[in-house]
Amino acid sequence: MRITFFLACALSAVLSQAQLAKVTMADRQAYHMNQNRPMVVVNPFSKAFHVKNLGGVMSDGKDGFMRLDVWKAGSGKEGAYVHLLKFDHKLSIVAEKETVLEGEGSENMLPVLIFNTPGSIHVVLAGGSKEANQYSIFYWEFSDADLAVKKAHVVLASLPFDKDKEYTLTSVRNQKAGTFGVTVLEEGGKKEAAFLHSLSFNSSPSLVFKQSTTLSFLGKKGRISGTQISESGTVFSLLSYPDEKIDELFVYSVLLAGKEGAKLLPLASGGQPLINCDFGLSSDNGILFSGLSWPGKKDYSAALAVGKISSSGDQSILKEEPFAPSLLDVLQKTKKTGLSKDYFVRSVTQRNNGVIDVVVQYCFQNIGNSASGGISGVVELLDAVIFSFEGDRLVSTIPIKRNLYQGTNGSAATVNPNHFGIPEVFTAENNLYLIYFDNPENTMGANDGKTPKSKNFYKGVVTLARIDKNYKTAQQQLLDFDHDEGFMNFYEMLVYKIDNKRYLLNSDKFGVFTKNVKTASLLAEVK
């Protein structure tokens, strides 16, 4: 079956069902987390703080892995509760350890970043300080053998705090260099501008720089959509905010923060703003970005733009690629003028051989009031497309047809339309891999214009796909929601990266009164 289009370069790829990964499944395991008291997720400073990018699943350096959770214990003054689980390669729990944080304000500490190095687990937290009008970024180091404390309550940085504001903390770590960054978006108001605090830390860890930038344009609806950090410690933040003319349409900028200051770079191509963007690290310590070119008030985008920002802040467009008529004929939500504004860039990545891959997907959500006065919502996952570029030349275009939906009455899940539906995209050995929510009647790569029959999320599957260096594709079904009770639906599933080849699909259910945690897990080890 041919699965590429004859566009800039005529390439073919053959779809196959293949054994891409070794799969281990552990369904409905149960474990206990400190049964002597009720457990409450850490949420310091009332409802002021929100956290993104928290990962607590790590390799054990062998063939197993570890999971660390940090919780607030009850409502007393005792410090936050730390729970360590160790799993073998069969997903069996082989060890459990627990401890409690001690120190000023530790009862209200919120985990921001968790990672490990040989022999140690490192936890970065945000918490109150002795001064009522500020909070601090703290650091703890534990032995991965028995949770013995190596370093405790180390203050890495302090920032001003206002209990009437909300703060969004995002963290990211560069595994190669050991540098990590923390960004704090401090909300604005009608008369106050938002602030973005960008903090960069070396591997010691110690603070390298802290840059605070006023973002008067961000408003109440603006948000931070992603964070990256280079090996040298430069922090890049992707910001999205409503267009000046069309409030429901979001445009994007990248804030580059370094030792010498910060620089704001709006994302645009040919004088037109880019919408529905994403970004990722380039091979030379800069940033690659991609988005849909937006021609004003029209509802459809005619081109995909791919650009680059250097570590010094130089910005350039590598390619603006018009959507080919042959592609528009295959996808579901298009016109002759281009793609619907509900197509989003999921990722932009670079393989070791220099190929740049841009993954785009259709994700639509609508949340409103039902006829009975409750909340209702719908989420649709339709096409996804992988665009591959060699330099400034488009060499492969591979569509994935999914046609999945979920409607709810009485409740509604808010999803990130960029990332929901394709929870993981990664590269290995010049291959591109995707873990994505799929239709069992998938027609990946087919250009015959046929669309699989619409399926509810509960009847969907999770698929691992590979696009190799020759742009040939292969798929492997990892999980069938219709038959695996441990994973009830897509909303409950999380994907954790253990290392470059191992990914954990996990679904947890917490017993509010029993303190039991029931977990279903699937380990995919890419061959």
Side-chain angles (χ1 to χ4, degrees):
M1 184 191 308
R2 297 288 183 180
I3 66 168
T4 55
F5 294 95
F6 293 90
L7 298 173
C9 179
L11 292 174
S12 65
V14 178
L15 174 65
S16 64
Q17 288 292 334
Q19 192 70 18
L20 303 178
K22 177 184 176 183
V23 175
T24 305
M25 181 77 181
D27 191 17
R28 296 180 297 280
Q29 285 179 299
Y31 60 91
H32 305 279
M33 295 184 69
N34 199 338
Q35 300 177 77
N36 297 324
R37 57 193 173 188
M39 305 304 301
V40 183
V41 176
V42 173
N43 189 10
F45 322 117
S46 186
K47 297 181 179 179
F49 280 72
H50 311 281
V51 169
K52 295 183 178 181
N53 296 0
L54 174 63
V57 175
M58 304 152 283
S59 171
D60 65 357
K62 301 176 184 177
D63 58 359
F65 63 94
M66 303 178 290
R67 170 176 172 166
L68 189 81
D69 292 288
V70 181
W71 300 75
K72 181 180 178 182
S75 58
K77 293 293 184 180
E78 192 170 23
Y81 168 68
V82 181
H83 186 258
L84 175 66
L85 286 171
K86 292 187 177 183
F87 299 82
D88 63 15
H89 68 285
K90 296 180 180 179
L91 299 183
S92 298
I93 299 171
V94 295
E96 287 187 72
K97 298 289 182 181
E98 63 181 12
T99 189
V100 174
L101 300 183
E102 297 179 356
E104 181 76 28
S106 58
E107 71 276 6
N108 275 326
M109 285 192 177
L110 176 72
V112 177
L113 178 67
I114 299 172
F115 62 94
N116 71 318
T117 56
S120 294
I121 298 175
H122 311 266
V123 183
V124 180
L125 308 105
S129 63
K130 294 180 180 179
E131 302 295 331
N133 61 348
Q134 70 176 28
Y135 64 97
S136 296
I137 305 297
F138 293 94
Y139 168 74
W140 292 67
E141 181 181 357
F142 302 95
S143 166
D144 65 8
D146 56 6
L147 277 185
V149 176
K150 293 184 175 181
K151 294 182 181 179
H153 214 259
V154 178
V155 178
L156 297 180
S158 295
L159 291 164
F161 172 67
D162 184 339
K163 63 180 178 61
D164 295 323
K165 290 187 176 181
E166 291 191 1
Y167 301 80
T168 300
L169 287 82
T170 306
S171 63
V172 64
R173 183 170 182 262
N174 188 297
Q175 290 188 330
K176 186 175 181 180
T179 56
F180 67 89
V182 175
T183 60
V184 184
L185 180 60
E186 180 181 331
E187 73 164 5
K190 292 183 178 180
K191 297 182 179 181
E192 269 189 297
F195 286 88
L196 183 65
H197 307 285
S198 304
L199 296 83
S200 180
F201 303 90
N202 59 26
S203 58
S204 298
S206 59
L207 181 67
V208 178
F209 65 79
K210 177 177 66 176
Q211 299 289 353
S212 297
T213 308
T214 303
L215 302 175
S216 56
F217 59 88
L218 210 58
K220 290 285 288 185
K221 292 186 178 180
R223 57 183 181 265
I224 184 165
S225 297
T227 306
Q228 299 284 351
I229 186 168
S230 68
E231 293 179 28
S232 60
T234 303
V235 179
F236 301 89
S237 297
L238 183 64
L239 305 172
S240 56
Y241 45 95
D243 181 75
E244 292 181 354
K245 297 179 181 179
I246 308 175
D247 189 60
E248 68 272 14
L249 196 68
F250 280 66
V251 293
Y252 289 73
S253 291
V254 169
L255 181 72
L256 180 155
K259 291 182 181 179
E260 307 303 321
K263 186 176 183 180
L264 187 68
L265 303 164
L267 301 186
S269 177
Q272 301 291 344
L274 299 183
I275 65 169
N276 304 347
C277 300
D278 204 2
F279 72 165
L281 287 175
S282 65
S283 59
D284 57 359
N285 256 337
I287 284 291
L288 295 168
F289 64 87
S290 182
L292 305 184
S293 179
W294 193 252
K297 294 183 178 180
K298 296 180 180 179
D299 288 337
Y300 290 79
S301 169
L304 177 75
V306 183
K308 183 177 180 181
I309 297 174
S310 71
S311 57
S312 60
D314 296 325
Q315 183 179 2
S316 60
I317 294 295
L318 302 177
K319 182 69 173 179
E320 183 171 314
E321 183 69 30
F323 297 117
S326 57
L327 176 64
L328 298 178
D329 288 342
V330 170
L331 303 183
Q332 287 181 255
K333 297 293 184 178
T334 65
K335 287 186 177 180
K336 291 182 179 180
T337 52
L339 297 186
S340 158
K341 60 181 175 60
D342 292 311
Y343 282 88
F344 293 80
V345 174
R346 164 57 181 92
S347 63
V348 52
T349 55
Q350 188 167 23
R351 309 188 203 185
N352 291 339
N353 59 8
V355 170
I356 296 172
D357 298 292
V358 180
V359 179
V360 176
Q361 74 162 347
Y362 179 94
C363 182
F364 171 81
Q365 65 176 328
N366 183 38
I367 298 175
N369 295 322
S370 66
S372 61
I375 299 174
S376 64
V378 63
V379 177
E380 281 186 311
L381 293 172
L382 302 183
D383 320 291
V385 188
I386 302 105
F387 299 89
S388 298
F389 296 85
E390 294 181 5
D392 61 356
R393 190 166 59 97
L394 177 66
V395 294
S396 175
T397 307
I398 299 173
I400 304 173
K401 297 182 180 181
R402 298 177 293 177
N403 205 14
L404 294 163
Y405 76 96
Q406 179 67 63
T408 58
N409 279 314
S411 64
T414 301
V415 303
N416 179 335
N418 287 77
H419 292 181
F420 182 74
I422 308 178
E424 195 68 43
V425 179
F426 60 98
T427 60
E429 299 176 356
N430 291 327
N431 300 320
L432 178 72
Y433 291 88
L434 290 80
I435 297 175
Y436 63 96
F437 302 154
D438 203 1
N439 191 311
E441 300 176 13
N442 171 315
T443 54
M444 181 179 183
N447 58 2
D448 54 13
K450 295 181 180 179
T451 300
K453 183 180 178 180
S454 180
K455 295 281 187 181
N456 189 286
F457 285 0
Y458 292 101
K459 301 290 184 179
V461 298
V462 178
T463 296
L464 171 68
R466 180 187 67 201
I467 297 91
D468 69 14
K469 62 182 179 181
N470 296 315
Y471 308 106
K472 294 181 179 180
T473 70
Q475 296 173 266
Q476 178 182 347
Q477 182 178 306
L478 299 179
L479 184 66
D480 182 347
F481 281 89
D482 195 25
H483 296 95
D484 293 293
E485 296 179 5
F487 292 83
M488 293 301 293
N489 61 57
F490 293 163
Y491 296 120
E492 296 173 352
M493 197 190 80
L494 298 174
V495 177
Y496 294 97
K497 178 180 178 180
I498 298 174
D499 51 39
N500 289 334
K501 288 293 187 76
R502 293 187 299 163
Y503 290 82
L504 182 73
L505 284 62
N506 183 256
S507 176
D508 280 346
K509 287 186 174 297
F510 296 89
V512 177
F513 301 106
T514 65
K515 275 71 71 180
N516 289 345
V517 180
K518 294 183 179 180
T519 179
S521 300
L522 182 148
L523 180 64
E525 184 175 359
V526 178
K527 295 183 176 181

